[in-house]
Amino acid sequence: MSTPVLEARGLHKQFGSLEVLRGVDLSVVKGEVVVVVGPSGCGKSTLLRCLNLLERPTAGEVLLDGELISGPGVDANRVRQQVGMVFQRFHLFPHLSAIDNVALAPQRVLGLSEGVARERAAALLDKVGVGARMLAHPQEMSGGEQQRVAIARALAMEPEVLLFDEPTSSLDPEWVGEVLKTMHDLVVEGVTMVVVTHEMGFAREVADAVLFMDQGLVVERGTPEEVLGNPQEERTRVFLRRILERK
């Protein structure tokens, strides 16, 4: 069996008296796509934030390439170079063009020259389908274009794993498809991904494994066919019925 690139063991996270994660395990091998689904407030986003140390777990461990990264004294910025994140909101710098948004971190964090960083940024913007908009500022772009710039920005750091936190939830329906297509292209290329999403069709198509979370726990896990097509737990079935009712 392949060694996991990214692994969570018994993750707990509390905010005051509120226990958001209650012992979550997750394992991702190179080239795998793990999709996490579940109702709002179940801990999905907190799980992602713990995986790249935007939040420090209250208990449990996170390992990257077998190395403990959630302990004291770990350089969180180094971890985030290897475990990239694409958020619901795009978090682009409004005063910078698309190409400068993508080139900034490789210059400042990786030490690339301006020319090399901008060359990499231009290639990535082409890759995600917004190369023609590289000189535009965020306020001049659609939500779908901004989110694809955000994906390019995450890819620019050449992370081992890319985390997506409901990347289409803030988009108008007309822009959802273009972002999902970009993500699908990354899947085809073998990018290792953990994706939190309510897009069940996308999950069925690309996931190697699906985790259903509720109330801070992983209730059910398996292939898309098992979890989404033939769920064994009543909580999973109720959630999927509610998703279908919204369509």
Side-chain angles (χ1 to χ4, degrees):
M1 185 175 178
S2 300
T3 302
V5 175
L6 185 64
E7 188 175 10
R9 299 176 181 171
L11 278 194
H12 289 254
K13 180 62 183 178
Q14 280 186 245
F15 296 98
S17 61
L18 178 63
E19 192 172 21
V20 179
L21 299 179
R22 300 163 53 206
V24 173
D25 297 324
L26 176 144
S27 180
V28 191
V29 301
K30 184 175 177 60
E32 189 175 28
V33 178
V34 175
V35 172
V36 184
V37 301
S40 296
C42 71
K44 307 183 300 293
S45 294
T46 300
L47 171 61
L48 290 193
R49 293 174 69 85
C50 286
L51 292 177
N52 79 340
L53 304 188
L54 286 169
E55 299 287 353
R56 292 278 183 167
T58 306
E61 299 177 332
V62 181
L63 296 96
L64 181 65
D65 295 322
E67 176 188 351
L68 181 67
I69 60 171
S70 56
V74 172
D75 182 352
N77 288 325
R78 182 182 65 83
V79 169
R80 290 177 203 137
Q81 291 176 39
Q82 299 303 314
V83 185
M85 184 88 148
V86 178
F87 301 88
Q88 296 178 35
R89 301 283 178 181
F90 324 121
H91 297 304
L92 300 177
F93 292 110
H95 63 290
L96 296 180
S97 65
I99 191 169
D100 288 331
N101 263 284
V102 176
L104 182 64
Q107 287 180 253
R108 294 198 175 174
V109 179
L110 302 182
L112 299 187
S113 68
E114 180 180 356
V116 170
R118 286 175 68 85
E119 184 177 341
R120 177 184 293 186
L124 287 169
L125 291 169
D126 278 334
K127 179 190 185 79
V128 300
V130 290
R133 305 286 283 148
M134 67 176 63
L135 298 181
H137 286 69
Q139 61 271 26
E140 301 169 323
M141 308 176 82
S142 72
E145 288 171 336
Q146 289 184 65
Q147 189 61 292
R148 285 182 286 166
V149 172
I151 292 171
R153 180 181 58 187
L155 291 170
M157 300 300 288
E158 300 184 335
E160 289 194 58
V161 184
L162 202 48
L163 312 178
F164 290 85
D165 186 9
E166 298 195 27
T168 61
S169 65
S170 296
L171 300 177
D172 292 335
E174 63 186 304
W175 307 123
V176 169
E178 62 189 34
V179 172
L180 292 179
K181 180 186 182 304
T182 297
M183 293 172 64
H184 186 275
D185 290 345
L186 296 178
V187 172
V188 171
E189 290 181 17
V191 175
T192 308
M193 296 160 59
V194 181
V195 183
V196 168
T197 185
H198 286 295
E199 299 288 343
M200 295 300 129
F202 178 77
R204 286 177 184 272
E205 185 177 356
V206 306
D208 296 294
V210 175
L211 275 60
F212 171 71
M213 287 185 65
D214 194 20
Q215 298 179 11
L217 294 167
V218 175
V219 175
E220 193 162 355
R221 73 181 76 211
T223 66
E225 292 77 13
E226 290 167 341
V227 177
L228 304 179
N230 186 31
Q232 301 302 300
E233 299 293 331
E234 179 61 20
R235 280 190 281 178
T236 315
R237 292 194 287 267
V238 168
F239 169 75
L240 291 173
R241 280 199 299 270
R242 287 175 179 164
I243 290 289
L244 288 173
E245 287 167 3
R246 294 180 199 163
K247 300 297 184 185

